Amino acid sequence: AQSVTQLGSHVSVSEGALVLLRCNYSSSVPPYLFWYVQYPNQGLQLLLKYTTGATLVKGINGFEAEFKKSETSFHLTKPSAHMSDAAEYFCAVSGLSRDDKIIFGKGTRLHILP
Amino acid sequence: DVKVTQSSRYLVKRTGEKVFLECVQDMDHENMFWYRQDPGLGLRLIYFSYDVKMKEKGDIPEGYSVSREKKERFSLILESASTNQTSMYLCASSLSGTGLNTGELFFGEGSRLTVL
């Protein structure tokens, strides 16, 4: 069964600094991987996803993530943080079967310091 | 613009009351989901449906039921609300052709339920 671990429930970075949010998954085969973002008082929206192909995935708002099979990781990065990036970020994983459901991590709240 | 609409953003109910949470999507999606979101626990799947009148239990179905009489509408029902059901409830939908596992989930803005 798939599972996902997000390291750090809260992360603070200064405006303009690199954003790095960590996600590790547990799966016997390379799964499908997702990052979702939740802005205050809103539902979640998809940032990016990896299903097959290129391991470096670019998403919206300047975010990207790299699938590293050897490290079972799918960390989310952004070169320069903006105040508007303050939100909660969820890593998610699913298996290869069409009936597999998407499993979410517990979330990381990103704080941007002025 | 695609949209998932949850009927109530905030509800306050008393213990033992029956609670209905409504969700409507305008994207003609086959799959619909109800999640519960709690601090430190992330999102947990309560029920999902992949077709009209079809429903499947998720990870935490106890104390909940669902109804899907029309493709666009998926309702979550708390037959007898309890204080431990105080939470944020999120509805989502996705296209069937992509499977449950690879498709993008489209979420509503959530319904925050407080049970006193």
Side-chain angles (χ1 to χ4, degrees), chain A residues 34-106:
Chain A
F34 310 82
W35 276 100
Y36 281 81
V37 61
Q38 184 180 32
Y39 297 104
N41 298 316
Q42 294 186 25
L44 282 70
Q45 64 181 90
L46 183 69
L47 264 181
L48 49 82
K49 70 176 182 181
Y50 168 80
T51 52
T52 59
T55 56
L56 181 63
V57 181
K58 294 187 183 300
I60 61 172
N61 300 336
F63 284 93
E64 62 182 35
E66 187 171 10
F67 169 57
K68 291 188 176 180
K69 181 180 175 182
S70 61
E71 299 177 6
T72 61
S73 69
F74 191 58
H75 301 331
L76 182 71
T77 60
K78 181 174 181 178
S80 177
H82 294 158
M83 296 300 291
S84 60
D85 294 327
E88 189 155 22
Y89 293 79
F90 293 90
C91 183
V93 64
S94 70
L96 303 182
S97 166
R98 285 177 58 87
D99 294 329
D100 284 331
K101 296 177 290 297
I102 297 174
I103 308 296
F104 287 87
K106 295 183 178 181

Side-chain angles (χ1 to χ4, degrees), chain B residues 72-90:
Chain B
E72 67 271 17
R73 188 179 298 269
F74 192 36
S75 303
L76 180 69
I77 303 154
L78 288 67
E79 292 288 343
S80 178
S82 63
T83 54
N84 62 12
Q85 292 178 310
T86 292
S87 187
M88 171 71 84
Y89 291 88
L90 291 168

Side-chain angles (χ1 to χ4, degrees), chain B residues 15-31:
Chain B
T15 300
E17 280 192 87
K18 191 169 186 176
V19 181
F20 291 88
L21 299 179
E22 303 283 338
C23 175
V24 177
Q25 50 96 1
D26 64 1
M27 296 166 283
D28 203 34
H29 285 171
E30 285 82 4
N31 303 326

Side-chain angles (χ1 to χ4, degrees), chain B residues 33-51:
Chain B
F33 307 80
W34 274 105
Y35 288 89
R36 172 176 172 160
Q37 182 180 14
D38 298 289
L41 297 179
L43 274 71
R44 293 179 291 168
L45 183 63
I46 305 172
Y47 269 96
F48 66 100
S49 167
Y50 51 86
D51 202 352

